[in-house]
């Protein structure tokens, strides 16, 4: 039994018109947290008192003083600073690392009227993978708590899918927004490199790092982008020429997608064609080359940022993270420089391919959610990483849910645009979202006290 929840155009319009609406929404969401957080581990810190105080202040505002995100409840990945709260990065080494100021993106969200409900759980420093030797247990997929919710923005995906918040802010270095979005059945946007200021965000691999929103609708993601980027100019869906590229059959076959993942991808292609959207095959660079160059850059940059500290305080870090960090130390300078050059060349090639197209359509991930306890410690290196293409190119990529398989496990697609094309990509996403008509639901039955009104 699941409760249908709306992916509404925005909380500001949907919640206007009845007193105390923001406070009521926060209480509903905190009620869900109280019921299900022990099982799902979506948060490292729940800011219940702060959220209620903020909601009361927003309810007291005149309508003319409300910001564009008025009453939107957001979780923040715990590698992003929120003043007065520890930025633990999911690590024992940072449990007392209290943020003295908020990241610029957090300040902008609050200025726009958002409420921060808590710090979302994540892999250690957004790199460690699901692990059981950390101060926080790994987040679990709300559709089946034995399954991996994706990472590293795992708690972000879980908190949105479980109805603990309207949206979350995640980070993405090699698919960390898009994988949990796909596995949890929500919308996620990896933004262009440097689209949003990254001060107050713990760096992992500066060449590949980016941030972005995760929510139940493309419209909510767009509203958050407007607040975080500030110079963001929206585009109406009918103003964007919809020309979508798809990989050639041989390239797609090389992904070794599961039958269910392919079914989601092919369903999307069929719906888009039926909706009058042009789809054309294109040749893409070798995924092996993209994966190799990006992985070498990432592993070396992670080692440069963390290896000395890991060697100094070895036992303060989880086994998965410290092993990955020290592996990166073994990459010689010559290989690192070659990988940087190769990555830059491949980024230019991808940008050229996307010239004249609105987006490149790719599967959300080659396989759906797998059991949490079986996730390999080096899963991101175990197979060629489809998601790293966007990080290699620095381009925005939108993850959209398509369907749930027979076991209710979500499956999605992703749309990659040219660098800086977030407005056009989101406009296309709104149109495609309508065609896909994904049924957003809570993954658990709700008691009467926690049912919501429109938009909550």
């Amino acid at each position: 039994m699941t409760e249908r929840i709306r992916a509404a155009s925005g909380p500001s319009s949907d919640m206007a018109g009845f007193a105390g609406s923001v406070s009521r929404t926060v209480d509903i969401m905190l009620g869900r947290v109280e019921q299900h957080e022990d099982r799902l581990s979506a948060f490292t810190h729940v800011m219940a008192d702060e959220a209620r105080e903020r909601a009361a202040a927003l309810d007291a505002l005149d309508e003319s003083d409300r910001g564009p995100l008025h009453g939107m409840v957001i979780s923040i990945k715990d590698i992003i600073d929120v003043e007065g709260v520890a930025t633990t990065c999911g690590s024992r080494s940072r449990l007392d690392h209290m943020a003295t100021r908020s990241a610029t993106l957090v300040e902008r969200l609050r200025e726009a009227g958002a409420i921060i409900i808590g710090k979302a759980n994540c892999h250690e420093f957004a790199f460690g993978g699901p692990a059981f030797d950390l101060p926080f247990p790994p987040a679990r997929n709300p559709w089946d708590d034995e399954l991996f919710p994706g990472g590293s923005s795992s708690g972000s995906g879980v908190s949105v899918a479980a109805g603990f918040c309207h949206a979350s802010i995640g980070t993405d270095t090699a698919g960390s927004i898009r994988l949990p979005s796909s596995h949890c059945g929500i919308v996620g946007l990896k933004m262009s490199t440097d689209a949003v200021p990254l001060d107050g965000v713990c760096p992992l691999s500066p060449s590949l790092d980016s941030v972005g929103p995760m929510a139940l609708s493309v419209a909510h993601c767009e509203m958050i982008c407007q607040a975080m980027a500030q110079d963001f100019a929206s585009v109406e869906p009918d103003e964007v020429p919809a020309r979508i590229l798809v990989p050639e059959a041989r390239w797609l076959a090389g992904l070794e997608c599961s039958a269910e993942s392919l079914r989601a991808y092919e369903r999307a292609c069929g719906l888009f064609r039926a909706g009058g959207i042009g789809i054309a095959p294109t040749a893409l660079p070798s995924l092996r080359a993209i994966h190799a160059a990006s992985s070498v850059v990432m592993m070396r940059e992670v080692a440069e940022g963390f290896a000395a500290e890991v060697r100094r305080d070895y036992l303060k870090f989880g086994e998965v993270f410290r092993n990955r960090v020290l592996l990166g130390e073994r990459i010689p300078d010559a290989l690192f420089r070659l990988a940087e050059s190769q990555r830059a060349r491949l980024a230019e090639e991808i940008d050229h391919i996307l010239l004249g197209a609105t987006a490149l359509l790719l599967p959300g991930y080659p396989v759906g959610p797998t059991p949490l306890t079986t996730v390999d410690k080096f899963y991101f290196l175990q197979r060629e990483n489809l998601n790293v293409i966007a990080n290699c190119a620095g381009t925005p990529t939108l993850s959209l849910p398509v369907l749930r398989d027979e076991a209710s496990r979500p499956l999605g697609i992703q749309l990659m645009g040219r660098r800086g094309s977030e407005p056009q990509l989101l406009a296309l996403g709104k149109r495609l979202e309508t065609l896909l008509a994904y049924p957003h639901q809570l993954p658990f039955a709700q008691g009467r006290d926690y049912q919501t009104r429109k938009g909550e």
Side-chain angles (χ1 to χ4, degrees):
M1 180 73 178
T2 54
E3 177 199 345
R4 187 70 173 267
I5 52 177
R6 295 177 57 88
S9 60
S12 181
S13 59
D14 285 348
M15 293 182 185
F18 55 92
S21 60
V22 179
S23 294
R24 180 176 185 274
T25 298
V26 167
D27 283 340
I28 288 168
M29 290 178 168
L30 288 173
R32 292 175 184 155
V33 173
E34 183 178 355
Q35 281 193 314
H36 301 287
E37 171 61 11
D38 285 347
R39 179 172 59 90
L40 298 179
S41 301
F43 295 102
T44 59
H45 180 73
V46 178
M47 299 166 57
D49 291 343
E50 297 93 329
R52 288 191 172 103
E53 290 173 7
R54 171 75 165 159
L58 290 172
D59 279 329
L61 290 177
D62 291 334
E63 189 168 349
S64 60
D65 294 326
R66 295 175 179 178
L69 299 185
H70 177 78
M72 182 181 282
V73 181
I74 298 178
S75 67
I76 304 293
K77 184 175 180 177
D78 196 9
I79 70 165
I80 302 172
D81 287 343
V82 175
E83 183 179 358
V85 181
T87 304
T88 74
C89 300
S91 177
R92 190 168 288 103
S93 67
R94 295 291 191 278
L95 290 179
D96 298 323
H97 190 76
M98 195 66 62
T100 57
R101 60 157 291 179
S102 295
T104 294
L105 69 89
V106 172
E107 292 177 347
R108 290 177 177 178
L109 292 172
R110 280 178 162 160
E111 288 170 1
I115 297 170
I116 309 303
I117 196 170
K119 302 298 290 291
N121 199 358
C122 61
H123 296 169
E124 190 170 17
F125 290 100
F127 190 59
F132 295 85
D133 61 348
L134 301 176
F136 310 100
R140 293 179 176 270
N141 196 308
W143 292 100
D144 181 340
D145 59 24
E146 296 298 318
L147 297 180
F148 182 41
S152 63
S153 304
S154 50
S156 292
V158 173
S159 63
V160 174
F164 296 167
C165 52
H166 294 114
S168 185
I169 305 302
T171 65
D172 192 311
T173 303
S176 293
I177 286 173
R178 292 158 288 147
L179 181 58
S181 294
S182 183
H183 279 6
C184 293
I186 63 173
V187 178
L189 176 67
K190 173 220 172 292
M191 300 180 72
S192 301
T193 303
D194 301 329
V196 174
L198 296 183
D199 63 284
V201 181
C202 181
L204 181 67
S205 174
S207 296
L208 305 174
D209 291 346
S210 59
V211 298
M214 302 164 70
L216 289 182
S217 73
V218 177
H220 277 172
C221 286
E222 182 181 54
M223 294 167 67
I224 293 169
C225 286
Q226 289 174 328
M228 292 197 304
Q230 291 195 324
D231 58 351
F232 186 97
S234 295
V235 178
E236 292 299 319
D238 57 5
E239 296 176 0
V240 177
R243 179 172 179 265
I244 294 178
L245 300 177
V246 295
E248 292 178 332
R250 184 176 178 181
W251 194 96
L252 187 63
L255 298 178
E256 299 181 350
C257 292
S258 68
E260 293 288 358
S261 180
L262 277 178
R263 184 164 70 90
Y265 180 75
E266 290 167 356
R267 177 178 184 268
C269 288
L271 286 171
F272 299 164
R273 288 191 178 99
I277 295 171
I279 295 179
T282 189
L284 293 175
S286 162
L287 181 56
R288 176 173 294 182
I290 296 169
H291 175 81
S294 301
S295 296
V296 169
V297 170
M298 177 177 64
M299 296 293 287
R300 174 60 182 268
E301 289 187 342
V302 171
E304 289 176 348
F306 292 96
E309 186 179 358
V310 168
R311 290 196 177 280
R312 184 172 62 250
D313 293 309
Y314 188 76
L315 295 180
K316 287 189 176 181
F317 299 88
E319 178 189 4
V320 176
F321 179 76
R322 68 197 185 209
N323 287 348
R324 289 182 179 185
V325 169
L326 298 182
L327 177 63
E329 276 192 315
R330 297 175 178 270
I331 297 171
D333 291 345
L335 179 57
F336 178 52
R337 289 194 295 269
L338 177 62
E340 285 185 310
S341 174
Q342 184 84 331
R343 189 192 68 83
R345 181 186 65 78
L346 289 164
E348 289 181 4
E349 189 173 344
I350 294 166
D351 189 66
H352 181 74
I353 290 168
L354 290 170
L355 188 65
T358 317
L360 171 68
L361 174 63
L362 297 167
Y365 199 65
V367 297
T370 55
L372 181 66
T373 56
T374 66
V375 177
D376 188 87
K377 294 177 181 179
F378 286 91
Y379 72 91
F380 69 103
L381 295 177
Q382 191 177 36
R383 63 190 302 161
E384 292 163 2
N385 186 356
L386 171 68
N387 287 336
V388 83
I389 299 173
N391 302 90
C392 173
T395 60
T397 304
L398 182 67
S399 176
L400 292 174
V402 175
L403 53 80
R404 292 196 299 274
D405 65 16
E406 293 179 356
S408 290
R409 294 170 297 198
L411 295 159
I413 56 169
Q414 52 183 316
L415 292 151
M416 186 170 72
R418 297 191 75 202
R419 189 160 176 157
S421 69
E422 280 88 344
Q424 293 76 20
L425 190 63
L426 288 164
L428 174 64
K430 289 180 186 177
R431 182 174 174 185
L432 302 185
E433 185 177 49
T434 301
L435 295 173
L436 292 169
Y438 182 82
H440 287 289
Q441 297 174 315
L442 286 177
F444 38 74
Q446 283 292 281
R448 185 174 181 179
D449 290 344
Y450 299 132
Q451 293 178 357
T452 64
R453 304 183 191 184
K454 178 182 176 184
E456 296 180 352

